[in-house]
Structures are given as structure tokens and as C-alpha cells.
Amino acid sequence: MNNPQLEIQIIAAIVAIACAIPGVFLVLRKMSLISDAISHAILPGIVIGFFITQDLNSPILILLAAFMGVITVVLVEFIQKTNLVKEDTAIGLVFPILFSIGVILIAKNANDVHLDVDAVLLGELAFAPFDRLLIDGTDWGPKSLWVMGIILIITIVLLLLFYKELKVSTFDTGLASALGFSPIIMHYGLMSVSSITVVGAFDAVGAILVVALIIAPAATAYLLTEDLKKMIWLSILFGVASAILGYWVAHFLDASISGSIATTLGFIFLIVYLIAPSKGLIAVLYRQKQQRIEASLITFLLHLNRHEEVRERHINHLQEHINWGIVRSKTVLDLAEKNNLIQIDNNIVALTEKGLLFTEKSLEYIISNKDEKIEPMKEDFFLFRG
Amino acid sequence: MSIQEYFQLVWNDYTLRTITGGTAVLGAICGMLGSFAVLRKESLLGDAISHAALPGIALAFLITGAKDSGVLLLGALVSGLIGTFWIRGITSKTHLKSDTALGLILSIFFGFGMLLLTFIQKQPNANQAGLDKYLFGQAATLVESDVRLMIIVTGISLVVMLLFWKEFKLLLFDEDYTKTLGFNTKFIDIIITFLIVLAIVLGLQTVGVVLMSAILLAPAAAARQWTNNLSTMVILAAVFGAFSGVFGTAISASQNNLSTGPVIVLVAGVFVLFSFIFSPKRGLLFREIRFRKNRSDLQLMKTLQFMYSIAEEHENISHPHAIRILNNFHGFTKTSLKKLENEGLIAINGQDWALTPKGFKQAQEMYNQKPANE
Amino acid sequence: MNEKVAIKIDDLTVAYNYKPVLWDIDLTIPESVLMAIVGPNGAGKSTLIKAILGIIKPIAGSVSIYGKPYQKNRKLVAYVPQKGSVDWDFPTTAFDVVLMGTYGKLGWIKRPGQNEKKIALEAMEKVGMLAFKNRQISQLSGGQQQRVFLARALAQDASIYFMDEPFQGVDATTEIAIINILKELRRAGKTVIVVHHDLQTVPEYFDWVTFLNVKKIATGPVKDIFNDDNLTKTYGINYKVAVNK
């Protein structure tokens, strides 16, 4: 591993961390798509900034473009308030139009602006190490490392300072106002930080992949935990892991680094989406099946409890009356019998004493609207779960 | 080439005619189907689908080696549909919200597509030229067979839409009710989604994945402002879309260095802006005018009522009073007095005013109505 | 009273996300009654209607409409959903919404013709909305929107009418107009089932009532079973309501 390779990975990792932190809050506030809007809409800001400064890493350009991002948010919110179109349409209209303006500005000034539209979308991480920060002839390392490093430090400082306020205003806007933290200041503060991060990362990873770095780590982490602190740490972990893994995949395929990072993020999300312990697809499907059978079981037991007549307790009744297929009826019957909740005598089903006790108790909870108490009760009564 | 020259050439020049025809048809179908996307509150789904289509194009090329747009669009269609259904899977099976699911699929599929595209570029044997047109679109690469494909797809969508018009409208307005009437809502939903994905995929070559969603939304959002009728909205959106296509092509053809996609988006954006401001019923301008008029009417009526409360104490309702006693009353101005006089509600004589019988009656009616309203 | 059974529900259990919200409901509703379904918030009143109409699939039990499953006899049933369940900014007119009531009998693809339009206009007249037929639905008041929904159900020309909180957010005049139409339907031998919130008006408006709170508490004629005992069982300890008898 040579020096530029190492530098690329460090830059990628720093970008990943800087994106992951605001990403967590955007995902929790159901505003993920704002990052998409900002990442497109800052383009005219970058172009105008470039006219002025002639330097993509200039702080003035970054601030100007970030301001453009905040303007986008304001514009979207203004259109939403007019009720002329639905909220999502407002976002969908604003950013392509601003982006188009940016693209046309670049095209019309192709001779003055050495910006390539492809580079805008993709960024060029591979070139990042060659743009060095030189002060008095001394090489201080890649410029983008400094830019992103400073943005990351600002983000972390703000996060530490306003952690409590951010947390409260994310989960409970009403409480936040009552406690005197203005949700509006938090909102625009977060938007500003997101904009600055997007602009800074834009140069390295491009407009659309910065969205992947913001949303994907947070979304993946959210499938694993609901604890804010853990979620931030996990997002950072996923972001950094994808950045480094993605770099090497790109290296071996000789393909775009940022595309590769996004693909890695996608893979990690896919795996977590499938196998996350309680929120993953497999767990959810398994739990739904179990809950379905157990709900059916309780329904059946309650039915037995309510009906004395032999006719209602005949095995065939399950299929006819309760409207269950043969497989389902058999699963439910077997489960009830395995748990000693029922006994079957001559095709007539009756509750056992244990079954009776369980049923009476669940009934009590159901009537008093405390269904949630049935869940721990199942632990006590069931030897076998659905 | 100037815009006038463009319009002179458009009928004879093969390339211009093809491109213009293509963008017009594309604008029309997108406007038409975009209306459904907007009304279903699925505006941003279009953005996700168009981005999700990119890896499909790249994979189709990798597998078949074909540059034929039909094959590539088929790949785009498949991967767009996978993206759509994965988004639905995420929102229905996990606690992630739709905004996160959309943004996630959009950026990850796009990233994967870029990975594949750059990978293809580096392949020594593959002549990949032409794949990156799907990023921003290049209307200039349209050939007659592409336009024919667009016309066929638009025709089919139109037929399907007319056939299921009643069902589409019902589902868009009230899904539960649709179910109770015995319609298979899943089936209708799949047709609508499929048509929208089809329109998006069709536009990728011309407008590109990045800006495709705007072509879908903008004409529909503009059309919505001018009508309260679904069929008019769909037709208007198709017209706006087609015009955006033609004007966009004309402008970009008459300038150097301008790709068609962004110009079409901006033209459509102008339609939106114009509609937002100047639509007579919903537009911001007339809304503001109505608001001001209501406020000044309210002000006038308040003045009239104040006059009534003074005049009431005299037997003769038209007894003149000095204008200066109104000075303490907030909201009274010379112009407001003039307006009241013009409407025949008061009579002004030098420094005095008096209620006319008509003015007295109107004020009295307001006075009596007031408690009933509150 | 006609003894014919309009709706028979057996052992119905419905769950949202596998958390049951209705437990083992048995319910028989005779033909030609005007019935209120009452119960506290979260008692599953709307869910019961939606399960009967096949909008939600129950996890157990069966529903029959005049002896047949819903899908077989759906043309006998009309439905008025909660007003808040649709987007009233949708670009359509009051008349168009009412016309939707005729779509069920038309079936797939067929377009509404003169006959359907006539039915829709008649329904609008019945609810006093004929003057507003070309009005965009967002420009109607809450009461007028509810009348449009009622007209749409009337256009279905059904035998059984289900209504989900038709008096929610409507003015007093509309409430009286609606209840008069419902009473008229009942007199014409139709069965009307209403999810209802205002306990005070139950004896005045309805002749049949079902108390529901996750499970069925009681069902029967208002004069027999609308009493403090059942109200307490449904709404909790010592629930009293000033009932004008």
C-alpha cells in the first residue's frame, strides 16, 4: 500500500464519518430525502462559487454552496406551505430544476469552469491526493483531507455541545419547545451542517453517492438499534467499513471508488436487512408466522372456553366455522395439544385445566385492553412456541 | 442556429425531426402518467426508479454486449421494478420510513450502476461509448426506431389508461372503497406502477437518470393548478410535457454545448412557476389579491357598522354626522369613505357623512347576522 | 320485525400486525334494522366494518351476507368510509364522486352511461346536494362532503349500508338530514349499520345497537339493551350516560 492509497482511504473514512452523523438525525426525523435535494441543489452554488474563487476547496465556495442548500430547504418548505402541490412533489420539483440550472451554467461557461458534470455526479476520490495544500512551499497533505477534517471536527463539536437538544427535538418537538430549545433553530442548524457536509464531500464522492453515505449507514444502524448513541456509533462503523472495503473493491475491479463504496453500503444494508435480529426481514417474517399461529391458538382456546356445545367443539368445526384451512387447523391443534392446553377425545376438543387457566387469564387481559400482558404469559404457559 | 431557424428546419431535417418528435412524445407520456404519480403522493418514487434503472442498463450491456437501446431499456425496466418493489418491501416489513427507503435505494442502485459503468469503461474489448448518455441523456442520439418505440409504448399506455380510466380514478381517490366494490386493487396498482416505470425507462436515453423524475412531476404539478378535473389534468399535463419537450429541444439545438435534458427540465420548471403564480383559482397571485380584497371588504364593513352604531341613535337614519368623529375609528381612510359612497351606502356632503337607507339596511342585516354566525 | 338475517358473523378474530383487535365475535344482524355500533376508542368498531367488507382479512372466522360470503353478495352492500380517509384535494367534482357508487355494478372496464348518471343525480337530490354537483370536492364544507359520501352509497342501491362515523365533523342540519335518510332507508326494508360516537343520540336515532370493546359485549334492540349495565361493561367502571327515555 503506497502513500496516495492510504490517503484516499483516510479521506474516504473521514467523509463517511462526517456524513454518517447528520445522517442519523435526518433518518430519524424522516427527512432523508432532504439530503438528496441538497446534494443536487448546491450545484449552482458551487458553480457560482467557482466563478468567484476558482478553487473547489475554497472555504468561500463551500459556504456559498452550503447556503444554497439551506435556500433549497427554505424553498421546499415554502412550496409545501402554499398547498399547491403535495409535500413530496415540492422536493421533487425544486432540486432537479436547481440542478439543471447548475448543469447549464457549467455548459455555458465550459471554457472558464473546469468542472466536469460527470465529476459532479461521481466525484473523483482517486485524484484527491494530488490536490495538495501547499503553504510556503511546504506540503501539508491533500486539501480535501483538510476540508473534510475541519468539517468533521465542527460536526463533532456541535454534536457534543447540542447532543441533548438534538435528541429531544428529534424525538419530541413539543417537549423541545417546552424546554426552551427552539425546534426551528435545531432544524436549520441540522440543515446547515448537512449542507456543509454535502458540499465538502461532493468534491470527493459526488452528488448522488454522498446521499448513500448519509442515508445508508443510518438506515442500516436503525435496523439494529433504537438507542441514539449506539445508532451513531454503528453508523460511523458501517460508513468507515464501507469506505475502506469499497476502496479495495474498486481497486481490484479498476472501477469508480465512490460507486464501489455505495455498492458496499448497499451490501451491508442488504445483509442487515435480511438478518437483523429483531427488525430484519427473516426475523420479521418468522415472528409474524409465530404470532399468527399463536393468535390463532388463543382465538381457538377462547372459542372452546365460550362454547359448551359439542358441535362447536368438534375438530371439523375448525375448518368449517372458523374458516381455517386444513394445514392451519392442524398446526393450531398440534400446538395446543403439545402444550397440554387441550385434550382431544373422540374428535371432540376440550380445554385441559391448564388450558382453562390460560384462557381465563388471557380473556381478562383482553377485556381490560391489556393485550401486551399476554406476551409474558405465553412464556409461562407454552413449552413450545408457534 | 437560432430558434427561428430551428422551427424552419424541424419539418425537413431528419435529425431535428426525430429528436423533436421523441422529446414531444416523451413529454406527453410522462405528463400523462406523472399525473398519477403526483396524485398518489408517489412523486419521489419516480426519482428512485430512474436511478435504480442504471445498473440494469449496465448489466444488460455486460451480459448481452448489445448497444441496442431496446435490450438496454429492458434491463432498465427490470432493475427499476426491482428497486420499486424493494422500496415497498422495506417500508412494509421494517420500521424504516418511505423517505429513507427511497433515498437508500436511489443512491445505492445508482452507485452500483456507476461501479458497473466505470468497470465497463475499463474493459479493453468493450466499446462502451454511449452508455454514459444514460446519466444526463442525449436527445441527439435518438434514432427513428427509438421514437417509434416511444410512440408504440405511449399508444399502449394510452389504450390501457382509457380502458381502466374508471378503475384508476377510483383507486387514486379511495382505495378501501375500491376494494369493497369488488375490484382487485393490487392488480390496478400494479398496472399503474408498471406504466409509470415504463415511462421513466423510456425517457432515460433522452433525459437521463438524474433528471427523469422532474419530467414526470413538473407537467403534472403545473397542470394540477389549472383544473379540478382529472381528465383535463391528464390532458393538460400531456400538453405541457410535449411543449416542454419541443421547446427544450429547440433551445438546446439553437445553443452550443447545451444538453437537452436540463433544458427540458427548466422549460417544464417555467411552466410550473407560471402556473403556481398565475393560475386563476389556485395561483399565489390571485390568492393574494383575493386575500387583500377580502380584508379591505372587511375593513369597509367594519366602518359601515361603526357608522350604523352612531346613526342608530338618531331617529332620522340619514342625519348627517361630521367626518371627524370617525377619526378615532381604526381602519377608516378617505379612500374607504369614497368606496362606501361609490357603492351608494353613504352620502358625503362637505365635512359630513350620512347613511343612505340602503347603507342602513345592509348594516342592520350584518348586525343581525353577526350573533347567528358566532 | 322481519326475522330474516342480513349479516351473520361467526367467530371473527381480526388482527393488525398480528395483534388482535377484535376477538371471537359472533354477531347476527337481522334485516331492516338501523343499528349503531358503539364502544370506546380502539374498540375495533371501524375494524369490524372493514372486516365484514373484506377490506381487512380476518385471521379467523367467517362473515356471510344473506347467507353467502361477501364477494358473492357484494352488490347488496354499500359503504360510507370515514370522511378523513380520502384526499379531498383530489381533482374531481361532487358528481364524479357520487357516480363512483355505480362502478361496482358496472364491473371492470365498462363506462358509466346515461342510466348511471341518472342514478347518481337522483342520489344527489336525495341528500340535497344537486345544486353542488359541479363543485370541486375541496370546496365543499365538512357536512357537504359527508352528504356526497352518503349519496355515493345511495347510488350503489344496496340492501345493507355500512357507515363509518357519518356524523363526524358535520353541522347539525346535515346530521338531521343524514339520520332522516337513514331512517327512510330502514323503513324501505334496508339494513343500516353505523359506527357511532355520540351515546346521547343512540335511543333517538337507532332501533338496534351493538356494544363492542375488542369483543362483543351485547347486541339487540335499543329499548332492551341500551342500559347502564351494558354501557359500564363496554366503557368501564360506573359509566353513566344521561339517556332520555
Side-chain angles (χ1 to χ4, degrees):
Chain A
M1 194 154 54
N2 54 34
N3 212 23
Q5 280 184 327
L6 186 68
E7 281 175 356
I8 290 173
Q9 290 177 63
I10 294 173
I11 295 170
I14 288 178
V15 171
I17 300 172
C19 289
I21 294 172
V24 168
F25 293 98
L26 290 176
V27 165
L28 287 175
R29 288 164 169 246
K30 306 182 189 76
M31 293 174 56
S32 314
L33 284 169
I34 284 286
S35 65
D36 187 31
I38 292 177
S39 76
H40 286 77
I42 55 174
L43 187 59
I46 290 182
V47 179
I48 295 166
F50 193 78
F51 285 149
I52 301 169
T53 64
Q54 298 295 322
D55 175 9
L56 269 184
N57 279 320
S58 140
I60 298 170
L61 178 138
I62 291 178
L63 285 179
L64 200 70
F67 182 67
M68 197 68 210
V70 178
I71 294 280
T72 312
V73 177
V74 173
L75 201 58
V76 167
E77 284 167 357
F78 171 76
I79 295 179
Q80 288 174 347
K81 270 196 206 112
T82 63
N83 282 328
L84 290 170
V85 286
K86 302 277 175 299
E87 291 178 17
D88 57 337
T89 313
I91 300 181
L93 284 174
V94 168
F95 77 82
I97 291 174
L98 288 172
F99 189 74
S100 297
I101 293 175
V103 172
I104 289 173
L105 279 178
I106 293 177
K108 293 266 51 162
N109 301 285
N111 298 330
D112 309 324
V113 188
H114 301 286
L115 263 176
D116 177 2
V117 179
D118 281 2
V120 162
L121 280 182
L122 286 177
E124 214 19 288
L125 206 47
F127 297 152
F130 302 113
D131 189 9
R132 317 290 296 186
L133 180 67
L134 298 171
I135 298 173
D136 297 335
T138 326
D139 182 357
W140 290 79
K143 263 190 196 166
S144 51
L145 185 62
W146 283 97
V147 171
M148 281 318 292
I150 292 168
I151 291 174
L152 177 61
I153 290 168
I154 294 173
T155 309
I156 291 175
V157 168
L158 286 173
L159 176 73
L160 293 176
L161 281 178
F162 296 105
Y163 180 79
K164 187 180 70 204
E165 286 82 353
L166 265 170
K167 187 175 174 178
V168 174
S169 70
T170 300
F171 292 106
D172 190 342
T173 336
L175 180 63
S177 330
L179 291 177
F181 319 138
S182 160
I184 294 168
I185 291 179
M186 283 296 137
H187 174 73
Y188 284 106
L190 183 61
M191 290 299 117
S192 308
V193 170
S194 307
S195 292
I196 291 174
T197 311
V198 169
V199 178
F202 188 86
D203 186 29
V205 295
I208 295 170
L209 301 163
V210 69
V211 179
L213 279 172
I214 288 178
I215 301 177
T220 315
Y222 200 24
L223 289 177
L224 292 169
T225 179
E226 281 180 29
D227 181 290
L228 183 60
K229 265 192 192 129
K230 277 187 197 148
M231 203 174 145
I232 293 174
W233 283 114
L234 276 175
S235 303
I236 291 174
L237 177 73
F238 290 136
V240 172
S242 312
I244 290 169
L245 212 60
Y247 171 77
W248 288 105
V249 172
H251 184 74
F252 289 116
L253 289 178
D254 192 12
S256 148
I257 299 172
S258 47
S260 167
I261 293 175
T263 309
T264 315
L265 283 167
F267 263 108
I268 295 180
F269 175 79
L270 178 64
I271 293 166
V272 172
Y273 169 70
L274 291 177
I275 65 166
S278 77
K279 310 235 170 56
L281 188 65
I282 295 171
V284 167
L285 290 179
Y286 176 76
R287 193 171 54 241
Q288 286 185 343
K289 184 172 161 265
Q290 185 189 28
Q291 282 175 337
R292 197 170 112 115
I293 292 170
E294 288 179 1
S296 306
L297 176 64
I298 297 180
T299 312
F300 175 56
L301 296 176
L302 285 175
H303 184 72
L304 288 178
N305 185 35
R306 223 156 51 83
H307 292 279
E308 297 288 312
E309 322 88 280
V310 170
R311 196 181 60 85
E312 290 275 336
R313 293 193 285 121
H314 195 274
I315 274 189
N316 290 343
H317 172 78
L318 265 172
Q319 279 158 45
E320 278 165 28
H321 224 162
I322 309 191
N323 214 2
W324 287 343
I326 296 172
V327 179
R328 187 140 160 231
S329 318
K330 196 164 159 17
T331 324
V332 170
L333 271 182
D334 283 352
L335 186 65
E337 211 177 0
K338 260 202 296 196
N339 281 316
N340 293 329
L341 295 165
I342 55 165
Q343 53 198 26
I344 305 175
D345 192 11
N346 221 351
N347 279 345
I348 305 297
V349 189
L351 285 174
T352 59
E353 251 174 63
K354 183 183 166 197
L356 198 64
L357 189 67
F358 176 76
T359 317
E360 300 270 311
K361 268 192 152 175
S362 358
L363 199 61
E364 209 180 291
Y365 289 139
I366 289 162
I367 293 170
S368 52
N369 266 332
K370 289 177 191 149
D371 304 57
E372 67 280 359
K373 291 206 176 164
I374 295 178
E375 212 42 51
M377 215 169 70
K378 285 183 189 163
E379 306 275 335
D380 298 340
F381 277 84
F382 292 179
L383 296 163
F384 305 94
R385 305 288 302 248
Chain B
M1 182 166 47
S2 72
I3 294 206
Q4 285 91 342
E5 279 173 328
Y6 165 84
F7 278 108
Q8 279 155 14
L9 278 173
V10 74
W11 300 108
N12 304 315
D13 184 275
Y14 167 83
T15 319
L16 277 186
R17 197 177 57 217
T18 313
I19 299 172
T20 310
T23 49
V25 173
L26 179 72
I29 185 178
C30 286
M32 199 167 89
L33 296 171
S35 306
F36 294 129
V38 166
L39 290 174
R40 283 173 66 126
K41 295 172 201 116
E42 284 186 344
S43 297
L44 293 166
L45 189 62
D47 197 33
I49 294 170
S50 61
H51 284 74
L54 190 63
I57 294 171
L59 279 176
F61 177 80
L62 271 180
I63 294 167
T64 65
K67 277 195 296 179
D68 170 42
S69 52
V71 177
L72 299 184
L73 292 188
L74 197 66
L77 185 66
V78 171
S79 104
L81 284 172
I82 292 175
T84 314
F85 288 105
W86 198 7
I87 289 169
R88 298 222 172 148
I90 292 174
T91 44
S92 70
K93 292 291 177 211
T94 73
H95 63 314
L96 296 178
K97 298 288 177 292
S98 67
D99 64 311
T100 305
L102 285 168
L104 188 74
I105 297 302
L106 174 158
S107 55
I108 283 170
F109 271 61
F110 183 83
F112 183 49
M114 287 317 306
L115 177 74
L116 292 172
L117 279 188
T118 47
F119 175 71
I120 292 169
Q121 270 169 12
K122 304 276 167 67
Q123 296 299 295
N125 53 344
N127 174 12
Q128 51 74 44
L131 280 193
D132 45 344
K133 73 181 174 205
Y134 290 101
L135 282 183
F136 285 107
Q138 259 180 333
T141 62
L142 284 176
V143 289
E144 221 169 53
S145 67
D146 295 325
V147 179
R148 209 174 305 135
L149 180 71
M150 282 182 188
I151 293 175
I152 293 170
V153 172
T154 308
I156 295 173
S157 320
L158 198 64
V159 170
V160 172
M161 200 179 71
L162 288 176
L163 221 53
F164 294 106
W165 179 257
K166 178 180 95 217
E167 286 77 9
F168 282 6
K169 189 178 185 178
L170 196 57
L171 182 81
L172 289 178
F173 178 61
D174 193 343
E175 185 172 343
D176 278 358
Y177 188 70
T178 313
K179 252 187 219 170
T180 69
L181 292 184
F183 294 102
N184 184 340
T185 48
K186 272 205 187 108
F187 177 68
I188 309 174
D189 176 67
I190 286 175
I191 301 182
I192 296 183
T193 309
F194 184 78
L195 287 182
I196 292 174
V197 176
L198 203 60
I200 290 169
V201 167
L202 210 57
L204 292 182
Q205 188 185 351
T206 318
V207 190
V209 300
V210 182
L211 295 172
M212 195 47 225
S213 67
I215 309 287
L216 200 67
L217 299 187
R224 177 69 190 92
Q225 312 311 323
W226 299 93
T227 174
N228 281 323
N229 180 307
L230 182 62
S231 32
T232 318
M233 175 179 166
V234 171
I235 294 168
L236 259 184
V239 172
F240 287 167
F243 271 110
S244 309
V246 174
F247 286 133
T249 312
I251 294 169
S252 79
S254 56
Q255 307 267 318
N256 287 328
N257 258 335
L258 274 191
S259 40
T260 328
V263 183
I264 296 181
V265 169
L266 279 190
V267 175
V270 171
F271 274 110
V272 171
L273 191 67
F274 184 81
S275 308
F276 276 10
I277 298 174
F278 296 107
S279 135
K281 273 187 187 152
R282 295 165 65 102
L284 295 177
L285 182 67
F286 290 95
R287 196 190 284 184
E288 183 65 25
I289 290 173
R290 269 196 302 275
F291 176 70
R292 294 216 171 155
K293 187 172 177 307
N294 283 346
R295 204 173 45 186
S296 78
D297 281 356
L298 195 71
Q299 215 49 275
L300 276 191
M301 290 305 120
K302 270 190 185 159
T303 314
L304 190 66
Q305 260 188 345
F306 182 69
M307 291 169 162
Y308 171 79
S309 66
I310 297 168
E312 214 184 14
E313 288 163 14
H314 294 264
E315 270 183 26
N316 175 11
I317 52 157
S318 295
H319 181 85
H321 301 271
I323 287 179
R324 64 185 155 72
I325 58 172
L326 295 175
N327 284 350
N328 291 333
F329 180 68
H330 186 70
F332 138 80
T333 59
K334 275 214 172 101
T335 34
S336 70
L337 276 190
K338 193 100 192 117
K339 268 192 188 159
L340 284 171
E341 192 188 16
N342 287 344
E343 287 180 33
L345 298 173
I346 59 169
I348 293 179
N349 194 351
Q351 291 302 306
D352 288 340
W353 61 268
L355 279 179
T356 62
K358 187 182 161 199
F360 185 80
K361 214 173 147 224
Q362 187 162 342
Q364 197 173 32
E365 269 166 18
M366 276 191 306
Y367 204 79
N368 292 338
Q369 257 171 21
K370 216 175 167 189
N373 281 344
E374 277 162 0
Chain C
M1 177 145 317
N2 197 331
E3 283 309 305
K4 234 171 128 185
V5 172
I7 299 164
K8 190 162 186 303
I9 300 167
D10 286 307
D11 311 319
L12 186 75
T13 297
V14 186
Y16 275 129
N17 296 322
Y18 303 94
K19 184 186 174 317
V21 281
L22 281 179
W23 276 104
D24 208 19
I25 309 274
D26 284 323
L27 186 61
T28 304
I29 304 169
E31 192 180 43
S32 187
V33 293
L34 178 46
M35 183 179 98
I37 302 176
V38 297
N41 285 333
K45 303 183 293 288
S46 297
T47 310
L48 178 60
I49 288 192
K50 286 183 178 170
I52 297 173
L53 293 163
I55 298 171
I56 306 170
K57 211 173 165 317
I59 61 167
S62 59
V63 175
S64 69
I65 309 285
Y66 285 109
K68 286 186 186 159
Y70 176 79
Q71 284 305 330
K72 289 257 163 60
N73 262 347
R74 63 174 166 77
K75 286 181 185 167
L76 300 176
V77 178
Y79 173 45
V80 179
Q82 270 184 34
K83 193 156 62 68
S85 68
V86 301
D87 170 19
W88 287 97
D89 194 35
F90 192 81
T92 194
T93 58
F95 174 71
D96 261 349
V97 172
V98 178
L99 196 59
M100 288 176 186
T102 65
Y103 287 5
K105 284 194 174 144
L106 277 172
W108 288 93
I109 296 173
K110 260 184 259 161
R111 294 301 188 86
Q114 284 310 315
N115 191 30
E116 280 74 26
K117 287 181 180 155
K118 212 183 100 208
I119 292 171
L121 287 176
E122 280 167 10
M124 294 197 87
E125 180 152 35
K126 256 182 229 161
V127 300
M129 286 295 293
L130 201 53
F132 299 91
K133 74 185 170 84
N134 292 323
R135 195 62 86 80
Q136 208 274 327
I137 51 173
S138 67
Q139 286 154 8
L140 299 172
S141 71
Q144 289 168 332
Q145 291 174 342
Q146 192 65 59
R147 287 178 196 225
V148 166
F149 258 15
L150 178 60
R152 183 174 73 169
L154 292 177
Q156 288 185 261
D157 188 25
S159 306
I160 306 174
Y161 291 82
F162 288 95
M163 316 213 156
D164 204 341
E165 309 213 8
F167 306 118
Q168 187 84 31
V170 305
D171 51 292
T173 336
T174 302
E175 178 155 345
I176 292 164
I178 291 177
I179 196 63
N180 284 337
I181 291 169
L182 301 189
K183 283 181 174 166
E184 197 183 300
L185 286 171
R186 197 205 77 90
R187 275 197 298 278
K190 316 280 186 187
T191 311
V192 183
I193 294 146
V194 179
V195 169
H196 192 59
H197 247 134
D198 182 10
L199 291 170
Q200 312 279 350
T201 51
V202 170
E204 186 189 334
Y205 290 174
F206 300 95
D207 57 11
W208 208 265
V209 63
T210 293
F211 290 95
L212 193 72
N213 188 1
V214 185
K215 49 183 220 128
K216 184 190 76 181
I217 312 290
T219 187
V222 170
K223 59 178 181 337
D224 298 341
I225 68 157
F226 194 73
N227 50 39
D228 285 342
D229 184 32
N230 280 328
L231 283 167
T232 306
K233 275 188 197 156
T234 312
Y235 287 86
I237 331 154
N238 289 329
Y239 192 92
K240 298 267 180 204
V241 61
V243 179
N244 317 312
K245 285 204 170 147

